[in-house]
Structures are given as C-alpha cells and as structure tokens.
Amino acid sequence: MKRIVLVIGMIWMQLLAFAQKNVRYDLYIRDTTVNFTGKERHAYSVNGSIPMPELHFTEGDTAEIWIHNELNTETSIHWHGLILPNEQDGVPYLTTAPIKAGKTHLYKFPIVQNGTYWYHSHTGLQEQGGMYGAFIIHKRDEKPMQEYTLILSDWTDMKPEQVHRRLHMANDWSAIKKASVQKGAVQSYGDAILSGRLKTKLGNEWKRMLAMDVSDVYYNTFLSNGKPEIQAPTFRAGDKVRVRIINGSSSTYFWMRWSGGKMDVIASDGSDVVPVAVDRFIIAVSETYDIVVTIPSDSTAFELQATSEDRIRSTSLWLGDGVKQLVSPLQPLKYFEGMQMMNDMIRMNGNLDDMGMNMSLQQMDMNVVMYPEITGALPKKKKSHNHMDMTNSDQYKSNDLSDIVTLNYNMLRSPVKTTLPDVKTTVYQFELTGNMNRYVWSINNKTVSEADKILIRKGENVRIILYNNSMMRHPMHLHGHFFRVVNGAGDYSPLKNVLDIMPMETDTIEFAATESGDWFFHCHILYHMMSGMGRIFTYENSPPNPQLPNPEKALKKLYADDREFHFMFQNDFATNGNDGEMMYMNTRWNLQAEWRLGYDKMMGWETETHLGRYIGKMQWLYPYVGFDYRYRKMEMGETERNLFGQVNTKDQRAALCFGIQYTLPMLIIADFRIDTDGKLRLQFMREDIPLTKRLRLGLMYNSDFEYMGSLKYVLNQSFSLSAHYDSDMGFGGGFTFTY
Amino acid sequence: MKKIQHLMLGMLLLVAFTSCASPIKNAKTEILKVAGNCEMCKKTIETAANRKGISSAEWNKDSKILTLQYDAEKTTSDEVLKRIAYAGYDNEKFLAPDDAYAKLAECCKYERMKKDVVVKEPVAKVENTTASAQEQAAETNLLEKVYTAYFALKDALVKDNEAAASAKSTDLAKAIKAVDMSKMSAPEHTVWMKVEKDLLMHAGRIGEAKDINSQREHFSLLSKEMYDLVKVFKADQTMYLQHCPMYNDGAGADWLSLENAVKNPYYGSSMLTCGKTTETIK
C-alpha cells in the first residue's frame, strides 16, 4: 500500500518537473468496516481510505487511472464535472462498461480544463458508502498559493439500501431521530398545539402534506475528509488560503461559515468567478466552491464550519493552530413558519404557486422564514399569525433582510465572456415533479425509464428552462458539459455543471452541444436519482460505443434503477388477533395485501389483496383490482347489513373486487369498491397521525359499519407498542413489527 | 395548613433526594481559565457548564478560574468549554463567536482574550516561510515612529495641553510621511492606503486648531484609524484599546494607550479616569 503511494508520489514529482505527461493513479476498491459512531458498519475504501485519494493533475496532462475492483459486486467511477470522451464518463450501462467484481478497468483521457472537481461511484448507492474523492486540476501557470482541499460527506449507520427503501414507505423514523437531536422535527399535533400553531398543522394536512423537512435522511454524522472534524494547523497569520470545498455527500446540503471574517468565493464547480465576498453560502449536493480566506491571527485555529441544511449536525475544518475561534451554531429551523409558508404557496391540486414572484437563482429563499438568524427568533408568546404580504417578494430576499451576506447564483459572474456560438438553439421545458409521500421523483412526471432519450444535434445550442414544482430543492447535474446559468451578468453568466434549484424557482441554463454520445442529466441527491429524476441527452449519429456492445440491453440495466420494486411489511401482533399489511411497489404500481387474522372462528380471518396503479403527478388516485377472502363463523340468524342496505349471511366469502382509492385532504384515504357479489363498500382511513414525537393515531370507518381506532408508540425503526379497538375483534394490545 | 407543610417538607426532601441522587459519577475535576467580568457572567458561565448529573462548575470572578467537575465517561472538558464559549465567554480552549460576545450585557463585556499574538517560532522550525518571517521582522518597527508620536499626542491631550498637542500632531504628520511603504506586505499596504490620507488630515487639523475641543474631536477620528492600523501592523509593546462612553454626548469614543490604567484624553483632568479598556492588543 505504502509503496503504491510512494510510486504515485514519485510519478507526481516527476510530472511536476515535466508537466503535460501521463499521470497514472492506481485505485484499489475494497470492502471495509468502519466505525464512525461506535457501531461497526460496512463501507467502501479506496487505497485503504475514505474518502478516496485526492487526485492531482495539471491542465494538459493525460490522466491514466487504473481501477482495481476487489469487491464482490460491480462498480464504476464517474469523473464529476470533467469534459471527456463519452465512453470515459463512467456511468455504467450508459457510457461505460461496468467494472465487474475482481476486474481492472483503465480510464484514460486528456485533461482539458482546470479547477476543483471530484469523482465517485455511479453504481447503485455505493457513493453513500464512501466512494467519493477530490479531483484537482491545477492551472499550467498557476501562481503558487497555499491551499487545502475539503471534501464533505454524510454518513448513516443504516444500510443505504434500507434508507432508500424506507424513504419509499413514507416512514417518519428519520424525523423521530432528528427530533431526538433537535425538538420539533416531527411536527406532531402535540408540538403544534404547544406552540400555538394547530391551525398551521391542520392547513398542512388539509393540503395533503406530510411533515415538512428540508432534507429526507437522518445522518449520524457529517464528515470533513472522512473525519467529524479536521485540523490544518500549518497556516499562520496573514496567510491567504485557497480552500477547495467539494460536497461529496449523497443527500445533504451544507451551510458554510467561517469564523475569521468574510470568505472570497473565487470559483464554482471548477470554473472561476469574479471574487465575491460573502458571510456564508450553501453548497448543494455535488457542487464545488473554491474560496480564499485570510488567517487573521496566530495562536488561533479558525473554524470553517459546514452545517447540514436541516441544522441537526455540523462538521468543521480548523485552519491555524491554537485556541479555537468558534462560529455560532445555526439555530434550529422554525418548522411551523415553514409549514405556514408552504400552506400559502401550495394549491389544493398540489401544484406550487409562486404568487407571481418569478423566483430564480437562489435569490429569494422561501426558507428564510425558518432561519432565526435572518428573520428573528420565534416570538415567545403566541401571536396571531402576522400574515405576510404574499405579493411582497422582498421578504424572502435574505440579503435585504439582514447584514449577513449569503451567496446566491445571481452574484456569480464569469471573468470572461461565456456567450454561446450564434447557432440554432433548441429549448426544453423541464418541470421538476415529485411526490414526497411515495418518494417518486421525476421530470415532467416521467422518470428516466418512462421517458425517451432527448435527441440533440452537435453544433447546436441547447437551452433548458427548469421549473421546480416539487417541495424539495434539487441539485441538477449535467455530465460532460458546462452550462451557462443565465443570470444578471448577461454575457458573463457563470459556467457551472450543477444547478441548485429551489421550490418554485424557474432557472434557465444553456450549453453548446459540442460532444457526442449519451450524457446523463439528473438530480444529484442520490435517492432522487435512483428514483428516476433525470433525463438522457443523446447526440444524433453518435459513433457506436465500444464499451457497450449491446446498447439496448445495457439501457435496460440503467432503467432498472428507477423501476425497482420496494417491499414493506407490517404486522400488529395483538391480544385480539393479527392485523397487518404488505406492499410491493414501484414508481406507479403497488401490490398490496392486508389481513386481519383472529385467533378463533368467531373472530374470523379476512384478507384483501389489491394490484393497482397510481395515477397523476400527486398520485392521489389509485384504481385497483383485487381479491378478497373472508371467513367468519356467524351465529344462528345473524345477518350483517351495510350502509347500502345489502345483506350478508355467509360464513365464508371469496370475491374479486374493483375499487379506487383517493387521498382526501387531511391525508384520509377514501376507498370505494364493488365486488363480484355486487357488494359495495366505502371506507375512510387515516393512519399515522402524529400526536407527539412517537405517538401515532389511526382511524378507520366503513360502510359495513366496521370501525377501528388505534394508537401506536414508536419504539425504534422496527417495533412499536400498539393498542387498538376494532368493531370485529374488540380491544387488543400488542406490538407492531414494521419492515 | 398542615397539608402545605407536608407538601413543603416533601418537596424539600425531593430536592435533597434529587441532588443526592445525581452525584457525578466517574468524577474528574479540572481547573480551567474562563474570561468574564461580573456576577451576571458567573451565572451565564455556570448555566452553560452545568448539566445535571454530568457536569457541575463554579466560576470565580476574581481569579477567572472555573472549577469543573464532570463525568469523564459522558463528557469532556472540551465539550463544556465549547458550551461556555457559545454562551459568549472566551476560555483557554475556545474563543466565543463574535456574535455571541456581542450579545452579552454591557456589564459583561469583559476584555477579550488575546487573538493577536504573533508566535515567534525558531526560524529552523519554519519551512518555506522565510519570506513571511522577514515580513514579520520588518513590520515590527515599520510604524514605530507613528505610534510614538500618537502616544505623545494623546498624553498632551490627557494633560489638557493645547500647545503641546499641536506640536505633537506635527511630529505625527512627519512620521506618517516618513513611513516606508515598500516594506509593507500586501494586506498591510491595503490598510495603509486606506487610512494614510485621513491620518494626515486629522493630524493637520489638530495642529491648526487652537481650541482643545476641536483637537479632541479630530483625535477621536484619528484614533479610529490608528486602531485599524495596529490591528495589522504589530507593535513591539502591548497596546490597550480604551473607551470613553460619555464623549460626544454619549456616542462614545476610543483611544489607544500603552498602559492599562485609564487616562482619558477626551476630558483630561476633569474626568481623568472615566472609561475602560475594551481590548488588549499584543
């Protein structure tokens, strides 16, 4: 191992002397065990480290990188932000052959740019497990300057596959975990009543929104170069240090703040910008920013802090040596303010309404209503909600509201003109769409596998107008190209390869189509990408890709990512019977089974199985076909009569049924069905009403005059204590197992 | 009545019980230095430090010493000191965030722990920094004459001596003009360029003015610029930034001094010791 490093080091030194040569790196990918939190977990290491090694090149070099896959599974490496031949891009099955277990793969491409980039696995969820590293390209005539590379990441003790599966179940375990660090993350009715915001919570649920959050996943820790905090003690007073910051996390945005004064932002996504001094900036997932800071004094270590957007935790880099100069922690988000804002912004049909404010380029941050440092601390006493003047857009402009200068995309300006060649421009309209409840993420309500590839022609320009009609922000990344983020700088609009777009924003990006082959454009939040939020741009008349001899078959493998089915199971083991459900679902389809199993004939057995498809962007409508089986011993002369006057006297029933489910305001699921015996049933059900952080209420009533009420106390991610009353089975208590 | 007595007794017992019931396990005691001024500081510092059953601390406002007892298995002294710094108080491990310090009550605005010490490292240990070492050596004396003239001017004002003030300000102007800019580093040069003109202007006005009130007015503006300078150009001696809250109808004004004891140049003999030291610059 050491020898490899040495060899690389020697090659590197040589290359410094004779620049513009082959630079070779060997990367050995292995399974490893890490312990970040006191628990041992599986992760991926490369050359024995997490993150992957920091690679350095000089513009004009040729990169020769050998990947040795010592895993039992296949892998891939994508060079994020690099301009390179299509087959070197590293998206398995789209541009590059996957690197099979035990195999070695060579990436070789000329380095034609400079700046701060990174590389990561593009296979499954491997990135979350440690496969990310810095890729630094120096300018040929770079002025020597002190620098430091900081790669940020997020770590969860839960297996990434489980994180992904649970996101699709709308399970709020993540919020419960967050609430144990910081109150209020669950946004329960209890919290709402205590803070006098019951109306806000009701309004939220009326508009069919689950608890809001700025991020979906609970992370146990955040890492700076693979550690919760790191020291860079060599810097002295007066030193100007270029810090290259890379957000290599899977789904965490970070607020960057520095305790030694202002930071000069000098580059974004690898391309230079005119330096701009800021107090703080948010770095989206997969973005890179280069900043210059001046060390104000000696005997002091100054903190460069990265706080997750949900403000649950942070990670720090200390520049300098000595007593530590802190940055104040960011105060918790004012969730109920955010919920009120969402109530105001969302229409009944689930579309967002920007009230004609033409939001763009991160200038107007609706979330400022939740930031105590900008909009003040929560009022101590309950006050009638001072309803905001919704048409006054200034109230969301962070930089007008306080002295804190927050970077936004309109402050980025390229030092050189970035205008595109004067050729034909094709315009695409992308509406970013999503559904939090089922965790479906798409563009124009179509996932990658549901949409056709977008055909573009070399030599023309492509302009994309993005509108974010979902409730989350999305870092949209384009492979193999830089795009202009059209902003107030006009001809000097900055070049980037990731665009963070906030809810309700409309942004325009454009690029010259100068390459060939297939290029991925996708949301870089790993779980959004895996759910299908992306598109493929494909150049007309591209030469066949030697790495993919059977492109159609390969594409199916790529599409399999967002076609994946997720399984969930829940059973309540209670004194009066078993009550449970099972789901096997993907983006549109859901195979559900529900059962109520009594312990004797009088209680009976009952199962319902449905196969259905979710309709529409919000997926509130779910028509299905199903099969019911029921056995219940009736007493002599007992008849069951329903709301529709229909009578049942049979002990045993088996029937096919057809029905539709529709999610009503307050997240009540209405289920109307008819079976092959002609029986009708209308049922209303709401589960998981959050009463307190861990207490959940469920209610059900139907036209067979059956009803049910239940209380669950969530113990951990798999078990809850439960108590319920059921019209068929009476009182029962027990525990619920959830997978 | 009896009921209330019982209740009280019960509560007392409960208090006694809980305080007995949560002694700190695995107790470790450390003596730590925490800055602060007054009783109010004491309260804030101790509230920040104490966690039931985990850590308990007592701070002495005269010695600035925090006696901390904590459960070594559950926390560390660093964790406690960090909380204290977040509450606004510099200590031996952490300096408070500037906004946390700014939020402290006026009476709690203690003299902040030094941030500006230049560590004089043996040259052998410093690699690749010969250039900056030279810079440091050069910068030490670059403004020495300016500083000397400034302090002479200040002393004249302290003594209510208009004529002397006028003369010293002429010395100051000369010293400013004599500064060798070629030896300055880039950040020093930037600051210097920013303040040089104003310094000369104020020094000139003090020289011209025959009325001490007008001299003092310009001296307050001059002192502001001087403060900017000393932040960047390190002096040989320790300097103190001092503040008179009354000057200019309560707007207040600062000055620099070589001694910690307050001698107010804005009021002279009429109110010689009004004011306080707000920062120590080393």
Side-chain angles (χ1 to χ4, degrees):
Chain A
M1 187 51 242
K2 261 212 173 125
R3 194 182 290 165
I4 293 161
V5 175
L6 201 70
V7 168
I8 292 169
M10 279 169 62
I11 293 169
W12 171 230
M13 295 299 281
Q14 268 186 338
L15 280 157
L16 280 179
F18 322 95
Q20 303 141 47
K21 285 281 165 60
N22 257 25
V23 177
R24 175 177 169 150
Y25 283 99
D26 281 88
L27 304 178
Y28 294 84
I29 305 172
R30 294 189 188 119
D31 288 302
T32 188
T33 304
V34 293
N35 187 339
F36 286 116
T37 60
K39 288 174 186 158
E40 299 214 320
R41 289 291 184 267
H42 170 262
Y44 302 102
S45 73
V46 174
N47 297 359
S49 82
I50 295 176
M52 304 202 275
E54 199 175 304
L55 309 184
H56 285 266
F57 299 89
T58 303
E59 191 170 355
D61 288 346
T62 298
E64 189 185 319
I65 305 163
W66 294 83
I67 311 292
H68 307 270
N69 180 5
E70 299 185 356
L71 305 171
N72 300 322
T73 49
E74 63 181 56
T75 188
S76 62
I77 299 285
H78 162 61
W79 314 99
H80 183 110
L82 292 205
I83 309 298
L84 33 60
N86 192 237
E87 74 280 2
Q88 302 295 328
D89 191 46
V91 181
Y93 304 109
L94 181 67
T95 68
T96 312
I99 310 169
K100 298 287 185 191
K103 293 281 186 283
T104 296
H105 182 99
L106 168 67
Y107 284 99
K108 190 169 179 179
F109 49 88
I111 302 282
V112 298
Q113 65 205 103
N114 62 69
T116 303
Y117 304 92
W118 63 298
Y119 64 110
H120 58 86
S121 167
H122 222 290
T123 298
L125 302 167
Q126 287 176 348
E127 184 194 332
Q128 179 81 78
M131 286 184 65
Y132 42 80
F135 195 107
I136 309 297
I137 309 171
H138 300 275
K139 284 181 188 165
R140 232 181 284 187
D141 50 352
E142 201 166 72
K143 272 186 241 151
M145 181 176 197
Q146 306 213 55
E147 60 170 70
Y148 195 89
T149 304
L150 171 65
I151 182 159
L152 301 163
S153 59
D154 42 18
W155 175 261
T156 167
D157 271 347
M158 202 188 273
K159 276 191 184 150
E161 292 72 24
Q162 294 297 318
V163 171
H164 189 48
R165 190 181 63 81
R166 280 173 178 273
L167 283 168
H168 288 271
M169 285 163 48
N171 181 294
D172 65 356
W173 177 243
S174 201
I176 294 175
K177 287 296 279 181
K178 285 185 181 186
S180 57
V181 183
Q182 201 173 77
K183 277 185 186 169
V186 174
Q187 299 152 44
S188 66
Y189 275 94
D191 289 341
I193 291 166
L194 286 180
S195 48
R197 304 306 287 269
L198 181 60
K199 214 174 131 193
T200 304
K201 178 68 186 170
L202 284 168
N204 229 233
E205 294 218 324
W206 179 253
K207 294 198 172 171
R208 293 173 266 206
M209 282 183 276
L210 294 171
M212 73 160 312
D213 202 346
V214 293
S215 68
D216 310 328
V217 182
Y218 170 78
Y219 285 102
N220 297 81
T221 183
F222 297 109
L223 305 174
S224 294
N225 296 350
K227 299 195 178 66
E229 50 181 82
I230 42 166
Q231 329 274 340
T234 53
F235 302 112
R236 293 283 168 266
D239 283 357
K240 281 184 178 298
V241 185
R242 174 187 192 140
V243 188
R244 301 173 180 268
I245 307 170
I246 299 159
N247 187 350
S249 68
S250 293
S251 74
T252 305
Y253 280 62
F254 290 101
W255 279 111
M256 302 303 304
R257 294 176 311 143
W258 158 248
S259 68
K262 297 226 188 239
M263 305 175 274
D264 282 331
V265 175
I266 59 161
S268 172
D269 293 343
S271 61
D272 289 347
V273 296
V274 176
V276 51
V278 298
D279 293 304
R280 65 176 193 175
F281 61 92
I282 198 161
I283 182 165
V285 174
S286 83
E287 274 188 316
T288 77
Y289 275 106
D290 289 29
I291 59 168
V292 173
V293 293
T294 309
I295 311 294
S297 61
D298 276 331
S299 309
T300 314
F302 290 85
E303 182 174 24
L304 180 64
Q305 191 189 61
T307 309
S308 62
E309 197 190 6
D310 61 14
R311 303 177 171 211
I312 300 288
R313 295 181 201 285
S314 65
T315 173
S316 304
L317 161 66
W318 300 93
L319 293 168
D321 192 17
V323 58
K324 290 176 168 174
Q325 173 62 60
L326 299 167
V327 197
S328 280
L330 284 170
Q331 295 304 306
L333 293 172
K334 298 181 283 182
Y335 282 111
F336 285 109
E337 297 292 336
M339 287 162 69
Q340 182 61 46
M341 177 267 290
M342 290 312 292
N343 285 351
D344 294 334
M345 294 289 166
I346 197 162
R347 296 199 187 102
M348 259 339 268
N349 64 7
N351 277 336
L352 297 175
D353 181 359
D354 70 355
M355 314 260 172
M357 288 190 289
N358 301 321
M359 298 167 62
S360 68
L361 304 166
Q362 305 174 323
Q363 296 172 92
M364 238 183 265
D365 180 351
M366 305 308 281
N367 287 341
V368 296
V369 300
M370 295 196 282
Y371 300 158
E373 70 279 11
I374 306 283
T375 48
L378 276 178
K380 282 255 157 47
K381 276 187 219 143
K382 182 189 160 186
K383 59 162 193 190
S384 63
H385 184 66
N386 180 9
H387 213 79
M388 301 174 289
D389 175 8
M390 299 309 299
T391 50
N392 177 10
S393 53
D394 289 341
Q395 62 181 339
Y396 302 114
K397 286 185 180 160
S398 181
N399 288 347
D400 296 347
L401 292 169
S402 79
D403 296 334
I404 301 169
V405 180
T406 307
L407 182 74
N408 63 51
Y409 285 161
N410 208 30
M411 292 158 75
L412 297 180
R413 183 187 176 90
S414 166
V416 292
K417 276 195 186 183
T418 58
T419 40
L420 301 181
D422 189 16
V423 290
K424 188 185 162 210
T425 301
T426 313
V427 181
Y428 299 92
Q429 305 270 354
F430 284 174
E431 181 190 354
L432 306 185
T433 38
N435 163 359
M436 238 0 247
N437 305 22
R438 293 196 63 252
Y439 213 74
V440 170
W441 298 101
S442 52
I443 293 177
N444 298 336
N445 195 26
K446 282 200 167 77
T447 62
V448 175
S449 69
E450 290 170 340
D452 292 328
K453 289 187 185 177
I454 295 172
L455 216 54
I456 57 175
R457 192 171 290 150
K458 190 168 180 165
E460 295 186 355
N461 294 335
V462 175
R463 180 178 296 147
I464 307 170
I465 300 171
L466 291 138
Y467 171 59
N468 185 353
N469 193 13
S470 80
M471 275 183 269
M472 303 294 286
R473 56 202 301 171
H474 301 284
M476 302 303 297
H477 170 53
L478 177 63
H479 285 219
H481 299 73
F482 275 96
F483 50 72
R484 305 175 76 226
V485 178
V486 179
N487 71 2
D491 289 353
Y492 295 86
S493 288
L495 294 176
K496 283 176 66 61
N497 54 59
V498 179
L499 176 90
D500 166 46
I501 180 163
M502 304 184 74
M504 289 174 277
E505 281 190 340
T506 305
D507 287 337
T508 302
I509 58 176
E510 55 188 27
F511 61 93
T514 52
E515 310 294 317
S516 78
D518 286 346
W519 301 95
F520 210 176
F521 175 70
H522 63 90
C523 174
H524 217 290
I525 290 177
L526 185 58
Y527 304 100
H528 291 185
M529 179 185 82
M530 292 301 284
S531 304
M533 192 169 212
R535 281 293 181 274
I536 297 161
F537 284 105
T538 184
Y539 280 88
E540 261 181 30
N541 306 320
S542 294
N545 185 336
Q547 297 215 15
L548 302 170
N550 188 345
E552 269 110 65
K553 201 176 146 202
L555 200 58
K556 276 197 184 130
K557 291 282 267 181
L558 181 84
Y559 287 167
D561 281 349
D562 73 71
R563 286 177 173 159
E564 190 188 353
F565 275 84
H566 300 276
F567 178 72
M568 81 81 91
F569 172 92
Q570 183 168 312
N571 190 54
D572 182 18
F573 300 91
T575 49
N576 61 345
N578 279 278
D579 203 336
E581 66 172 324
M582 209 158 74
M583 282 196 254
Y584 191 64
M585 58 193 176
N586 75 356
T587 312
R588 309 286 171 196
W589 296 96
N590 187 358
L591 178 66
Q592 296 177 314
E594 285 173 40
W595 57 86
R596 269 173 292 283
L597 308 173
Y599 293 124
D600 61 41
K601 286 179 182 176
M602 298 300 285
M603 287 182 185
W605 300 278
E606 199 174 333
T607 70
E608 290 178 17
T609 310
H610 308 142
L611 175 67
R613 185 179 160 91
Y614 290 95
I615 307 289
K617 195 162 63 185
M618 299 310 293
Q619 303 207 331
W620 288 330
L621 191 64
Y622 171 76
Y624 62 85
V625 293
F627 174 75
D628 290 359
Y629 173 78
R630 191 184 113 147
Y631 177 83
R632 190 162 98 92
K633 184 80 186 145
M634 304 270 214
E635 286 182 33
M636 285 297 288
E638 183 185 346
T639 54
E640 286 180 345
R641 188 178 288 272
N642 73 11
L643 188 71
F644 306 103
Q646 292 165 321
V647 173
N648 172 40
T649 53
K650 283 190 265 183
D651 285 350
Q652 187 171 330
R653 257 163 37 83
L656 288 174
C657 65
F658 307 92
I660 50 170
Q661 285 181 3
Y662 185 73
T663 306
L664 293 169
M666 302 306 295
L667 298 162
I668 294 166
I669 294 176
D671 183 334
F672 186 63
R673 43 179 276 168
I674 182 164
D675 65 22
T676 41
D677 294 345
K679 271 203 66 182
L680 297 168
R681 192 187 77 184
L682 178 62
Q683 176 172 292
F684 297 97
M685 174 136 103
R686 169 77 203 271
E687 288 180 307
D688 290 331
I689 304 171
L691 296 181
T692 69
K693 186 173 124 189
R694 287 170 183 270
L695 197 60
R696 302 285 176 271
L697 173 69
L699 295 168
M700 185 277 280
Y701 183 79
N702 73 23
S703 58
D704 293 343
F705 306 111
E706 291 173 331
Y707 53 90
M708 186 274 291
S710 71
L711 279 175
K712 266 198 312 198
Y713 185 83
V714 184
L715 294 174
N716 62 29
Q717 58 181 8
S718 302
F719 291 99
S720 312
L721 286 177
S722 54
H724 69 261
Y725 182 78
D726 185 301
S727 58
D728 284 357
M729 302 198 274
F731 270 109
F735 68 91
T736 305
F737 170 75
T738 309
Y739 174 78
Chain B
M1 196 56 212
K2 224 170 185 183
K3 234 182 192 170
I4 292 172
Q5 272 178 359
H6 275 292
L7 200 70
M8 297 269 278
L9 192 71
M11 276 168 70
L12 260 172
L13 272 172
L14 191 73
V15 169
F17 181 72
T18 45
S19 55
C20 291
S22 59
I24 291 171
K25 284 181 206 149
N26 314 305
K28 197 175 161 189
T29 306
E30 276 187 56
I31 305 294
L32 302 157
K33 212 167 171 169
V34 177
N37 268 350
C38 56
E39 283 301 321
M40 202 165 150
C41 297
K42 181 178 164 71
K43 208 178 151 196
T44 315
I45 291 167
E46 289 176 359
T47 311
N50 291 346
R51 288 289 178 275
K52 208 174 159 194
I54 298 173
S55 56
S56 129
E58 201 185 328
W59 181 74
N60 183 313
K61 81 176 155 98
D62 298 319
S63 64
K64 320 286 182 206
I65 291 290
L66 183 85
T67 311
L68 171 70
Q69 206 183 35
Y70 63 92
D71 182 338
E73 282 186 3
K74 286 194 177 141
T75 188
T76 59
S77 57
D78 274 18
E79 233 171 71
V80 176
L81 286 178
K82 200 171 190 181
R83 287 204 298 267
I84 292 172
Y86 282 144
Y89 291 90
D90 292 349
N91 54 63
E92 57 183 76
K93 289 285 180 60
F94 297 99
L95 299 178
D98 292 340
D99 53 334
Y101 176 82
K103 275 184 207 143
L104 294 178
E106 207 48 48
C107 65
C108 294
K109 292 255 160 75
Y110 60 92
E111 188 179 301
R112 294 208 67 172
M113 281 186 165
K114 56 205 171 194
K115 237 197 245 186
D116 298 312
V117 188
V118 176
V119 184
K120 297 223 164 68
E121 292 208 296
V123 182
K125 210 181 150 191
V126 186
E127 293 166 318
N128 284 335
T129 48
T130 8
S132 71
Q134 274 172 3
E135 262 172 42
Q136 281 173 13
E139 89 193 13
T140 323
N141 292 314
L142 216 50
L143 293 189
E144 203 49 40
K145 288 195 173 129
V146 176
Y147 292 158
T148 314
Y150 171 83
F151 290 121
L153 168 62
K154 183 213 66 172
D155 290 341
L157 290 172
V158 169
K159 289 179 186 137
D160 300 315
N161 189 337
E162 284 167 49
S166 168
K168 297 298 174 192
S169 66
T170 318
D171 293 350
L172 177 61
K174 272 186 206 158
I176 293 168
K177 284 179 193 152
V179 168
D180 183 1
M181 288 194 288
S182 65
K183 284 185 184 146
M184 290 179 185
S185 68
E188 288 170 343
H189 191 249
T190 317
V191 175
W192 180 253
M193 290 313 288
K194 219 179 92 200
V195 301
E196 188 197 22
K197 263 194 189 159
D198 289 349
L199 287 177
L200 279 173
M201 188 266 283
H202 293 304
R205 293 286 166 80
I206 297 171
E208 291 156 18
K210 292 296 166 228
D211 138 36
I212 197 157
N213 289 333
S214 148
Q215 283 180 334
R216 283 178 168 145
E217 202 181 312
H218 285 288
F219 181 74
S220 74
L221 299 167
L222 178 80
S223 294
K224 266 191 198 161
E225 313 279 3
M226 287 299 292
Y227 175 67
D228 288 346
L229 279 183
V230 297
K231 286 299 234 183
V232 178
F233 294 88
K234 311 294 179 220
D236 281 348
Q237 314 106 304
T238 304
M239 289 190 197
Y240 299 91
L241 179 67
Q242 298 176 321
H243 179 77
C244 167
M246 287 171 60
Y247 184 69
N248 195 9
D249 295 329
D254 293 329
W255 74 92
L256 293 162
S257 170
L258 288 172
E259 45 188 333
N260 199 0
V262 168
K263 283 178 192 161
N264 191 325
Y266 295 108
Y267 287 100
S269 54
S270 65
M271 224 176 280
L272 189 61
T273 55
C274 165
K276 62 174 180 177
T277 301
T278 51
E279 192 179 331
T280 307
I281 306 152
K282 284 196 178 170

